[in-house]
Amino acid sequence: MKKILFMFFVASVLSATSEKAFAQFEKGDKILNLGIGGGGYGFYGGGGFAVGGSFEVGVHEFISVGAQADIRFYNYGYLLGPSDNYVALPIAARGSYHYGKHFLTIDQLDLYAGPALGFNIDNNQYYTSSALVIGAFAGARYYFKPTFGAFVEFAGGTNMIPAKVGVSLKF
């Protein structure tokens, strides 16, 4: 009988802690996204890909702030003409509003959106330049375990990676 009561106690404690651990987003959460992305660059730009990540800290039950950095590899040229390969490094501060808590009942799903502001270092064989990163993003994270999940993110603006996908780690 003692073993049955002990097992019941352990199961109830684990279920209570797992619900809290699977919460969509909470103040104090630290989230690291690591992923790959792609999409065109500029008016003449061809496709390319990017690798990078972002880190955010929850400062309110709905708001997180952090930074993002990517390394983007792409080509630039005309449709039938020669093209050049480029490397760009967009770095930006970001803030997210986690709006899924208002209407979702799926604890493993975190919906978020927000602005990004920073700078972009562009490098090729002809020059090195810098420009502003100004844009907005929207994304979703799904946690398979309390500290591990996947994310997808879409962005628009200047020098932003249009689409990203990868893994999310929550601390």
Side-chain angles (χ1 to χ4, degrees):
M1 183 67 167
K2 287 182 182 180
K3 287 183 181 181
I4 294 172
L5 289 174
F6 179 73
M7 292 298 282
F8 180 76
F9 175 75
V10 169
S12 63
V13 167
L14 288 176
S15 68
T17 59
S18 68
E19 281 184 35
K20 178 126 175 83
F22 265 112
Q24 293 172 358
F25 177 80
E26 294 180 349
K27 181 179 178 180
D29 282 352
K30 295 171 185 70
I31 302 167
L32 176 66
N33 290 329
L34 300 170
I36 60 172
Y41 188 79
F43 182 71
Y44 299 107
F49 73 97
V51 295
S54 64
F55 182 75
E56 297 180 51
V57 176
V59 295
H60 182 269
E61 67 177 307
F62 296 111
I63 298 171
S64 62
V65 295
Q68 66 183 40
D70 300 293
I71 298 174
R72 174 187 224 149
F73 305 94
Y74 66 99
N75 61 23
Y76 189 79
Y78 296 98
L79 184 60
L80 299 174
S83 63
D84 295 318
N85 293 321
Y86 288 71
V87 176
L89 178 65
I91 300 171
R94 62 188 272 157
S96 297
Y97 181 74
H98 300 263
Y99 60 89
K101 293 174 79 170
H102 296 297
F103 59 88
L104 286 178
T105 58
I106 304 169
D107 282 339
Q108 293 90 348
L109 185 61
D110 177 22
L111 302 178
Y112 60 94
L117 178 64
F119 64 94
N120 180 58
I121 301 169
D122 211 341
N123 187 18
N124 64 52
Q125 64 187 12
Y126 304 112
Y127 66 88
T128 299
S129 68
S130 62
L132 283 177
V133 172
I134 300 173
F137 58 89
R141 290 185 192 95
Y142 186 84
Y143 290 99
F144 301 105
K145 296 191 177 223
T147 59
F148 178 77
F151 80 95
V152 62
E153 198 170 282
F154 299 99
T158 59
N159 299 308
M160 296 282 290
I161 309 299
K164 295 181 198 176
V165 64
V167 297
S168 292
L169 304 170
K170 186 191 286 189
F171 304 98

